[in-house]
Amino acid sequence: MRDMHLSYAVIEQIDSAAELFQALFDINIGSANFRAQMAAREIRLSQLLLTALARLALDERLAIEPIEEHRLTAMRDAVMTNHGRPARLNDKFRRLNDRVLTERLDADARKRTADLSTRA
């Protein structure tokens, strides 16, 4: 019975990832086109999401675009705390994420995707 509950939880999380990508980027990650484009690449959905959120912190726009090498330090400063180890996500970055999620997802969708956000 426990395995069945865990299986349902995994399925719900996968479904919520699709919903999150659709709402934030207008990308259907379940489509054959998306799967074909991603099949030959070693890219995870989490990398796409984090890159877009880092771009939001750097440029105030949500876009899945690689971060330029010369901006990596600026990206770290925009996303992470500057004191103490281990570094943590800074409050400004968390507020940006909260804002974009609130703007693009309704309350129910935010609950379903909470495990995928930076607040998890």
Side-chain angles (χ1 to χ4, degrees):
M1 186 57 103
R2 181 173 179 257
D3 289 344
M4 186 166 50
H5 288 290
L6 290 173
S7 297
Y8 281 124
V10 168
I11 290 170
E12 286 177 15
Q13 200 166 43
I14 291 168
D15 287 344
S16 68
E19 183 177 15
L20 181 68
F21 273 80
Q22 187 68 49
L24 293 180
F25 310 114
D26 198 25
I27 294 174
N28 179 356
I29 64 173
S31 72
N33 183 34
F34 180 82
R35 290 193 319 266
Q37 288 181 20
M38 300 306 290
R41 300 185 176 120
E42 290 289 325
I43 298 175
R44 295 186 175 143
L45 293 176
S46 60
Q47 290 172 301
L48 297 176
L49 180 60
L50 291 172
T51 298
L53 294 174
R55 178 65 65 190
L56 177 67
L58 282 172
D59 298 334
E60 292 281 327
R61 60 189 181 88
L62 192 64
I64 300 172
E65 298 173 356
I67 305 299
E68 301 83 356
E69 184 179 347
H70 70 277
R71 297 188 72 198
L72 292 177
T73 300
M75 179 199 66
R76 185 193 182 290
D77 292 343
V79 172
M80 306 302 291
T81 58
N82 292 325
H83 55 281
R85 292 284 183 234
R88 305 227 184 267
L89 298 176
N90 68 39
D91 290 337
K92 182 179 177 187
F93 182 68
R94 289 179 185 276
R95 283 191 304 274
L96 282 170
N97 288 310
D98 288 344
R99 186 192 81 209
V100 77
L101 292 172
T102 300
E103 288 172 356
R104 299 195 183 199
L105 298 169
D106 63 35
D108 289 337
R110 285 194 306 275
K111 284 181 189 175
R112 286 189 299 275
T113 61
D115 289 338
L116 305 172
S117 76
T118 58
R119 286 283 183 201

